[in-house]
Amino acid sequence: MILHELMSYELLRVIWWGLLGVLLIGFALTDGFDMGVGALLPFVARTDVERRIAINTVGPVWEGNQVWFILGGGAIFAAWPPLYAVSFSGFYLAMFVILAAFIVRPVAFKYRSKRDDPRWRSSWDWALFASGAVPALLFGVAVGNVIQGVPFHFTDDLHTIYEGAWYMKFIGLLDPFSLLAGLVSLAMLVMHGAAWLTLKAEGPVQIRARAIGSVAALVAVAGYALAGVWLAFGIEGFRIMGDYATGGPSNPLHFEVERTASWLTAYSDRPWIMVAPVMGILGGLLTFLGLRAGREVSTLLVSKMAILGVISSVGLTMFPFIMPSSSDPQSSLTVWNSSSSHLTLFVMLICTAIFMPLILIYTAWVYKVLWGKVTEADVTGNSHSVY
Amino acid sequence: MEFGIVELSRLQFAMTAMYHFLFVPLTLGLSIILAIMETVYVMTNRPIWRQMVKFWGTLFGINFVLGVATGITMEFQFGMNWSYYSHYVGDIFGAPLAIEGLMAFFLEATFVGLFFFGWDKLSKQAHLAVTWLVAIGSNFSALWILIANGWMQNPVGAEFNPQTMRMEMTNFFEVLFNEVAQAKFVHTVSAGYVTASVFVIGVSAWYLLKGRHIELSRRSITVAAAFGLASAFSVVLLGDESGYSATHSQKMKLAAMEGMWHTETAPASFTLIGLPDQEARETKYALHIPVVMGLIGTRSLTTDIPGITELVASAEDRIRSGIIAYDALMHIREARDAADPAVMATFEEHSADLGFAFLLRKYIDDPRLATEEQIVAASNDTVPTVWPLFWAFRIMVALGFGFIGTMAYFFWRASFRQMHFPRWSLRLAVVMIPAPWIAAEMGWFVAEFGRQPWTVDGILPTAMSVSALSMTEVAITLAGFVLFYTVLFVIEMGLMLKYIRKGPFQDVEETEAWVKRHQNRLAGRQDADAIAVAAE
């Protein structure tokens, strides 16, 4: 076990910071349209056949898509254990709500069309709506909180303590900025779901999806721009003070952290990161135009570009911070103090380098097999092997 | 026992884990049975085998989705309710969980959609490959989860880092090839295969009793009995292997399962039944079988197996050594990089016992200030409650032998008695359906309850592993899970029963035509067969 010394601890940390982004973005690009379709379901599809068309556009792929989320959780656990410990216990009740959504959603997909009873089906349709819309909103809310800093601190033993009463772990998250972030996230995933439905469905489902999706795209762009202005003038940033080691032991208490006037100084330090917000805004506007024009494949691609830009802009702006603490800045989690050990990061990187390309290849193959529209004939004529 | 945040969190974890494991074994076993059936279909081209794959596949799907959904809970719970655990061992424990996602779960989940949706989109061979990939993915999932769990039972390949206040990996291959993990993996997947076999035989038996779907049921029993017989042998033998590896790694668990209060001179006898009495440290009305325990536990006639009383004494020594380690740790932590080499050496010498000092945290914040009474109390805490372990283990083992008997009988009838099954045996098969689930839950109970008071054996006590949450929060989520899981269970059982009652409903005409031709062929009416083929 000497091989891992070939790569510096610092480099491995930066790579894993990037991979964390890759997983979150992979999740948003794939499971994102599942959630978007769920959130759109009651509005784009009125009759049972229409609903089944919408559901079957994601029917064969949602299971694989959801694994991006599970793998994201696993990778945070393995590569950033303190982040996993702080965020999952700190956002306790919010996590439970997200968890409930992720339990209900698979079941709703799978069980909805297994009985003919209209009440049964409409209950599951609402379950699909809620389990798509609520997590889409809450993921944004969580990001909004992380940007502003989360009230937690570490004890000397590195126990994490979340400040405030228990209900603040839910109610306390819903401040105006975080709600705006939640709105951006929801609008963005609705836009993405609409782009997906435009590609995979036709007729009234597609027409409604395009109409709602183009509004969502504008809301997402406007909300994102507003959040940017808010960040420039209303929200303080964080900075690590003095000399510090980027390859030292992962102990947050070894660092000194202070507040700064704004996160956006990152853009003068590293001007190239401008590319991320530009992609976000441009992607959103192009998705709006694409949905209007009824373009199918290219709309989905620009929608992906928007998501890529928006999510990576958050990470790049905050770097090297991952989860700052508002109540005790010294406890803030950064790339340099909250990773796994040198060896674990290396072992995990080898595994990722082997399996991630395979995953991408076979996932692409599955999407290729399933290429094409889901039509009314597909769901009515073939009701035994579809949802 | 006082009921606090630790107990509530444990209750929640136990409940959600055991609920999750209602769905896992059937997924593990049925995925392989589906792949076997589809292999026969592709080789023989007989439509009845495709119908079998689709029918059992429908039941597989109803079960699979809840396994997936409740599995997410498990991943979340470590961070939500056990955040100190997550911090303390995430460096080792997180890796197999993440690799499970990368290597296994992605495979399984990506292809399971095509298994259901791909019948008309793929060639026969490609669909068969998809089915096998689902089965392989499911089973590899179990491998990585059990490597993670095996590390909690036998924490190898890691050491404590005073700078980061956590365990860190020193050797990935030791974690991977942990003997406990490997034995547990084969034992657990075999249990899944037995579960699926019993399920397939039970449902098929019900059809035969009703006189429905005779051809499908007899073939299903034939496959499941052969598969199940091999698996039932494997589950018992590998369970024994687990016992053998526990002799090295978890002596206390083994002693508690056996109700062995004192070291016996080798070769130890096996207590068949009895009434363990925790207070008096004796097992009343015990019925012993000589020599057997020594053979299971040590594979020799001369090695002693330590009893509970002796293990408590050794725990007391380790607590004292752990206090020395804790004291050195405090000095190292204060000095950061500039620690005195002598203190470092002291720490190295005693660091293996650091976890034992943490057992005192239940009584006092600083283990160095512990009184003699507290040290004695903490060493007594290392004994898990014996009677539930003692009985759960015996129920599991008895069921295990029962599965070997049942599977052997059905295998014999299927292979050498023209698939003719007496009615009593069919009724027995239906009644047996819940048995493998009971055995599997008992097995997990023994593995996890038997590890108490530790989450990671000898390293981190359960009481220290929990998150800093309020009782209210954990009670809310616990109530949420109970409500939620109960509703899902009722819905799942309802659908399962509905689709079992409905029976196979896909490819019906094609299959029936084939069955008719096949029966004619068996009756030697080749001419009729030719007419039937020509008529299609």
Side-chain angles (χ1 to χ4, degrees):
Chain A
M1 291 277 156
I2 303 167
L3 259 183
H4 67 283
E5 303 285 351
L6 291 175
M7 288 178 88
S8 75
Y9 199 7
E10 178 187 20
L11 177 63
L12 278 166
R13 281 170 163 161
V14 174
I15 291 174
W16 270 102
W17 172 82
L19 283 173
L20 182 62
V22 168
L23 290 171
L24 291 179
I25 290 165
F27 164 64
L29 293 184
T30 56
D31 211 40
F33 65 69
D34 299 356
M35 287 189 276
V37 169
L40 281 165
L41 188 66
F43 311 106
V44 296
R46 310 246 162 89
T47 65
D48 187 54
V49 171
E50 286 173 7
R51 293 208 168 157
R52 290 184 60 198
I53 290 173
I55 289 167
N56 278 292
T57 62
V58 292
V61 293
W62 65 262
E63 267 154 322
N65 294 346
Q66 183 152 310
V67 182
W68 286 98
F69 177 69
I70 294 164
L71 183 58
I76 294 177
F77 199 173
W80 306 99
L83 173 65
Y84 176 75
V86 172
S87 59
F88 279 62
S89 66
F91 295 150
Y92 190 75
L93 291 178
M95 279 292 173
F96 181 70
V97 174
I98 289 176
L99 176 59
F102 274 79
I103 294 172
V104 163
R105 207 158 55 104
V107 182
F109 274 123
K110 194 81 200 173
Y111 289 178
R112 179 201 180 271
S113 298
K114 290 227 179 285
R115 286 187 194 276
D116 294 327
D117 179 10
R119 267 180 43 215
W120 167 275
R121 291 192 170 186
S122 101
S123 308
W124 287 118
D125 289 343
W126 284 107
L128 281 172
F129 166 75
S131 61
V134 172
L137 182 81
L138 286 181
F139 285 126
V141 168
V143 171
N145 275 278
V146 169
I147 291 173
Q148 296 175 89
V150 179
F152 72 94
H153 73 268
F154 284 104
T155 66
D156 289 337
D157 284 346
L158 296 183
H159 269 285
T160 64
I161 311 286
Y162 195 92
E163 260 76 51
W166 62 267
Y167 49 85
M168 290 306 281
K169 289 179 199 174
F170 193 81
I171 310 290
L173 304 180
L174 304 173
D175 62 276
F177 179 79
S178 301
L179 283 173
L180 175 65
L183 177 71
V184 171
S185 160
L186 176 62
M188 193 169 76
L189 296 185
V190 166
M191 166 190 88
H192 196 47
W196 175 256
L197 282 174
T198 306
L199 175 67
K200 294 291 286 185
E202 49 188 21
V205 174
Q206 193 206 40
I207 293 166
R208 292 182 202 127
R210 284 170 51 199
I212 301 172
S214 57
V215 176
L218 287 185
V219 172
V221 170
Y224 180 65
L226 179 60
V229 175
W230 201 327
L231 268 182
F233 300 106
I235 290 170
E236 292 182 348
F238 291 80
R239 191 175 71 88
I240 307 177
M241 288 161 66
D243 290 333
Y244 55 88
T246 52
S250 280
N251 188 330
L253 301 182
H254 289 186
F255 289 75
E256 299 289 329
V257 171
E258 65 176 2
R259 302 299 302 252
T260 60
S262 167
W263 280 116
L264 299 187
T265 49
Y267 289 84
S268 48
D269 298 343
R270 305 184 287 272
W272 61 270
I273 65 175
M274 260 320 279
V275 72
V278 168
M279 272 171 74
I281 289 181
L282 194 65
L285 293 174
L286 286 173
T287 310
F288 168 76
L289 295 174
L291 286 169
R292 275 306 170 102
R295 303 280 293 264
E296 295 179 357
V297 178
S298 56
T299 306
L300 189 65
L301 289 177
V302 286
S303 172
K304 286 181 179 180
M305 182 173 104
I307 292 174
L308 175 68
V310 169
I311 296 179
S312 54
S313 73
V314 177
L316 290 168
T317 306
M318 290 176 65
F319 185 90
F321 284 87
I322 302 178
M323 188 155 170
S325 165
S326 56
S327 60
D328 177 34
Q330 201 201 339
S331 290
S332 296
L333 301 179
T334 69
V335 174
W336 317 124
N337 70 14
S338 51
S339 75
S340 284
S341 64
H342 197 161
L343 175 63
T344 298
L345 289 184
F346 182 76
V347 170
M348 293 298 302
L349 182 63
I350 298 294
C351 292
T352 310
I354 295 170
F355 289 107
M356 190 51 81
L358 285 173
I359 290 170
L360 294 175
I361 290 167
Y362 64 64
T363 304
W365 181 74
V366 168
Y367 275 85
K368 187 171 154 274
V369 170
L370 296 164
W371 187 259
K373 299 264 185 199
V374 176
T375 62
E376 192 172 330
D378 286 334
V379 298
T380 51
N382 205 354
S383 56
H384 292 320
S385 56
V386 299
Y387 291 146
Chain B
M1 185 171 73
E2 60 179 318
F3 204 81
I5 192 77
V6 178
E7 286 71 27
L8 203 59
S9 302
R10 276 181 65 191
L11 182 66
Q12 181 167 14
F13 196 91
M15 198 204 88
T16 51
M18 291 177 109
Y19 186 82
H20 176 54
F21 213 74
L22 290 176
F23 309 104
V24 174
L26 194 57
T27 297
L28 289 175
L30 206 47
S31 61
I32 303 249
I33 291 183
L34 289 174
I36 293 172
M37 287 175 173
E38 194 169 342
T39 306
V40 177
Y41 166 62
V42 171
M43 285 166 64
T44 65
N45 216 9
R46 295 178 168 181
I48 187 157
W49 288 91
R50 186 180 58 201
Q51 187 180 49
M52 284 160 66
V53 178
K54 287 190 179 177
F55 169 67
W56 295 109
T58 305
L59 303 185
F60 171 81
I62 294 170
N63 172 75
F64 178 82
V65 71
L66 272 184
V68 171
T70 56
I72 306 173
T73 308
M74 304 321 302
E75 195 195 37
F76 270 53
Q77 285 227 317
F78 294 108
M80 285 173 68
N81 289 0
W82 304 94
S83 65
Y84 198 64
Y85 170 88
S86 304
H87 150 75
Y88 204 83
V89 301
D91 196 69
I92 310 105
F93 186 83
L97 290 193
I99 298 173
E100 186 256 354
L102 272 170
M103 177 176 167
F105 195 47
F106 240 118
L107 192 69
E108 173 188 7
T110 305
F111 285 109
V112 80
L114 269 194
F115 171 79
F116 292 106
F117 287 77
W119 287 104
D120 306 327
K121 294 188 165 72
L122 295 169
S123 71
K124 257 196 280 190
Q125 288 75 14
H127 193 279
L128 176 65
V130 163
T131 309
W132 273 109
L133 287 172
V134 172
I136 292 167
S138 315
N139 281 269
F140 267 114
S141 265
L143 172 67
W144 290 103
I145 298 300
L146 287 159
I147 287 173
N149 180 265
W151 189 80
M152 297 168 77
Q153 319 285 350
N154 182 28
V156 287
E159 68 180 20
F160 183 82
N161 179 347
Q163 295 296 336
T164 54
M165 267 308 281
R166 67 182 182 191
M167 298 297 291
E168 292 185 354
M169 198 189 290
T170 53
N171 190 327
F172 178 64
F173 294 102
E174 281 180 27
V175 175
L176 190 59
F177 297 114
N178 185 350
E179 58 164 351
V180 174
Q182 299 297 330
K184 279 178 90 80
F185 166 62
V186 189
H187 181 58
T188 308
V189 292
S190 302
Y193 302 163
V194 171
T195 306
S197 303
V198 170
F199 176 77
V200 168
I201 292 177
V203 173
S204 303
W206 186 73
Y207 286 143
L208 291 180
L209 284 169
K210 296 265 167 195
R212 293 169 59 186
H213 319 303
I214 310 276
E215 296 295 319
L216 176 136
S217 302
R218 292 165 76 184
R219 281 173 179 78
S220 298
I221 291 180
T222 306
V223 171
F227 183 58
L229 180 59
S231 312
F233 274 117
S234 161
V235 80
V236 172
L237 288 174
L238 268 299
D240 166 59
E241 181 67 30
S242 291
Y244 179 62
S245 52
T247 320
H248 318 295
S249 56
Q250 292 184 285
K251 299 185 172 73
M252 182 63 88
K253 185 195 279 183
L254 191 71
M257 274 155 59
E258 295 310 329
M260 227 170 82
W261 299 100
H262 302 280
T263 305
E264 282 184 48
T265 39
S269 62
F270 177 80
T271 309
L272 189 63
I273 48 167
L275 290 180
D277 181 339
Q278 191 104 6
E279 290 294 306
R281 288 206 178 161
E282 62 175 355
T283 301
K284 291 174 180 153
Y285 315 113
L287 182 62
H288 296 288
I289 310 176
V291 183
V292 170
M293 188 59 219
L295 284 176
I296 296 175
T298 66
R299 308 265 160 89
S300 89
L301 293 171
T302 50
T303 317
D304 286 338
I305 301 177
I308 289 170
T309 307
E310 287 71 21
L311 289 169
V312 168
S314 102
E316 194 179 318
D317 294 342
R318 294 193 69 181
I319 290 174
R320 288 179 203 284
S321 159
I323 293 172
I324 299 172
Y326 185 85
D327 182 52
L329 170 64
M330 290 301 118
H331 286 105
I332 294 169
R333 212 161 70 185
E334 246 160 65
R336 290 206 188 163
D337 297 336
D340 180 354
V343 179
M344 285 297 281
T346 310
F347 181 73
E348 297 283 320
E349 196 190 330
H350 294 276
S351 66
D353 297 325
L354 181 65
F356 281 80
F358 290 144
L359 288 171
L360 290 162
R361 278 280 170 85
K362 190 173 155 190
Y363 304 101
I364 188 164
D365 277 342
D366 188 342
R368 291 173 293 188
L369 306 176
T371 63
E372 280 302 306
E373 290 77 37
Q374 286 168 333
I375 291 175
V376 171
S379 51
N380 280 324
D381 288 345
T382 57
V383 186
T385 313
V386 171
W387 70 265
L389 288 170
F390 184 88
W391 282 106
F393 177 66
R394 272 149 192 76
I395 293 170
M396 177 186 77
V397 173
L399 287 170
F401 282 104
F403 298 136
I404 294 183
T406 321
M407 289 299 159
Y409 178 79
F410 275 94
F411 180 70
W412 171 63
R413 299 298 302 193
S415 307
F416 305 108
R417 289 293 178 273
Q418 283 81 42
M419 302 197 267
H420 175 77
F421 308 102
R423 289 187 78 79
W424 67 265
S425 70
L426 297 176
R427 286 199 198 96
L428 176 72
V430 176
V431 174
M432 283 227 3
I433 292 178
W437 275 274
I438 295 170
E441 298 288 356
M442 292 290 163
W444 272 115
F445 177 81
V446 170
E448 301 299 290
F449 189 81
R451 197 188 52 235
Q452 298 307 322
W454 305 99
T455 39
V456 180
D457 197 70
I459 301 284
L460 183 68
T462 310
M464 227 173 114
S465 310
V466 289
S467 303
L469 296 168
S470 68
M471 289 289 274
T472 324
E473 284 166 283
V474 185
I476 289 173
T477 53
L478 180 62
F481 279 122
V482 169
L483 184 75
F484 208 38
Y485 276 12
T486 308
V487 171
L488 287 180
F489 188 73
V490 171
I491 291 172
E492 199 258 3
M493 286 302 284
L495 277 181
M496 211 47 144
L497 293 175
K498 178 190 158 175
Y499 277 83
I500 289 173
R501 269 194 216 104
K502 191 171 175 182
F505 58 95
Q506 287 160 294
D507 304 337
V508 176
E509 283 165 28
E510 204 183 344
T511 306
E512 276 172 5
W514 176 83
V515 167
K516 213 165 277 168
R517 284 206 307 279
H518 185 64
Q519 280 165 347
N520 289 344
R521 211 177 295 138
L522 289 180
R525 286 156 58 187
Q526 302 290 344
D527 47 338
D529 183 33
I531 294 165
V533 172
E536 275 177 24

